[in-house]
Amino acid sequence: DYELCEEWGHLYPVPREDLINLHREHLLHLLEMGDMEKALQLLQRIEDPGICLAISEQSLDQHPNLAASHFLADYLTGHFYANLTTARRNEIQALYMGSKVLLTLPELSRVNYFHLSSRPLLMLEQLLMNMKVDWVAVAVETLHQLLTGQEIGFTIEDIDNLLSKYAEKALNFPFALKEKRS
């Protein structure tokens, strides 16, 4: 049905908003089905870059599943980096990094941290608080690779400071040692 509507859009004038809504729904449907290749083809077929940007941003704002969010954040930063405001760029890059970190976690645990996908530092802190040290190691390595040369509102030093803070807390003993008296 989406493809039929798309053909009608080529034959008859369709208002811009309706065209954006059609393509957004089609894109979200393809992403929910896990067909990233067709989703990419759909975005490449759209000739107007303004419409393509609007569709991609609106789709991302619908908070689709993890793979779809990762795909859309990657597409937006890859194709429309210069068209985004600095704040929006940072938000999308943080979502990309957060979704990349989530993809490194065991599949059954991802749902517990999905709500933090746009806040990678907070996700890292939550993993530390939940004593998921092995997962933190992989997450930190992934973030270090992704942050190289990036400006997204936090740095490698912020990650190191967070790790230092929790390492210090792990060494705090909640009781004082008493001396033995003779």
Side-chain angles (χ1 to χ4, degrees):
D1 291 341
Y2 290 118
E3 290 166 3
L4 179 62
C5 289
E6 190 177 333
E7 286 180 36
W8 271 87
H10 291 297
L11 298 173
Y12 298 99
V14 176
R16 178 182 166 91
E17 282 306 309
D18 292 340
L19 198 58
I20 289 172
N21 290 337
L22 165 71
H23 287 307
R24 184 190 66 237
E25 293 303 317
H26 188 191
L27 179 63
L28 286 170
H29 171 73
L30 291 172
L31 292 173
E32 284 175 22
M33 302 301 289
D35 198 343
M36 305 303 173
E37 187 63 36
K38 281 191 178 178
L40 183 60
Q41 290 170 2
L42 169 66
L43 290 170
Q44 290 171 342
R45 277 196 311 266
I46 299 168
E47 295 170 6
D48 184 343
I51 289 178
C52 192
L53 173 62
I55 292 164
S56 302
E57 277 196 289
Q58 287 179 19
S59 296
L60 186 63
D61 291 339
Q62 296 269 324
H63 304 291
N65 64 36
L66 176 60
S69 295
H70 187 70
F71 171 85
L72 289 166
D74 186 37
Y75 185 81
L76 281 164
T77 53
H79 291 84
F80 296 106
Y81 190 82
N83 301 64
L84 302 168
T85 64
T86 303
R88 183 67 169 161
R89 193 178 309 146
N90 289 348
E91 177 187 325
I92 291 171
Q93 285 183 312
L95 179 64
Y96 174 78
M97 289 184 187
S99 62
K100 189 77 165 178
V101 168
L102 271 175
L103 289 169
T104 67
L105 301 180
E107 194 169 341
L108 295 175
S109 301
R110 292 176 188 164
V111 70
N112 298 330
Y113 300 96
F114 182 73
H115 65 285
L116 299 172
S117 59
S118 62
R119 313 253 329 259
L121 272 182
L122 196 55
M123 185 188 315
L124 192 60
E125 187 168 6
Q126 187 71 50
L127 288 169
L128 284 166
M129 289 173 25
N130 291 341
M131 304 294 284
K132 304 294 186 186
V133 180
D134 295 340
W135 298 357
V136 169
V138 175
V140 168
E141 184 179 321
T142 302
L143 286 172
H144 274 270
Q145 290 171 357
L146 293 172
L147 279 172
T148 306
Q150 295 286 329
E151 276 282 326
I152 70 156
F154 69 92
T155 63
I156 292 173
E157 289 78 30
D158 294 326
I159 294 171
D160 292 342
N161 290 339
L162 182 67
L163 293 173
S164 296
K165 175 180 151 187
Y166 277 89
E168 182 180 316
K169 285 183 180 201
L171 294 175
N172 283 343
F173 295 102
F175 58 89
L177 295 173
K178 294 184 181 181
E179 291 181 25
K180 289 186 177 181
R181 296 183 188 216
S182 56

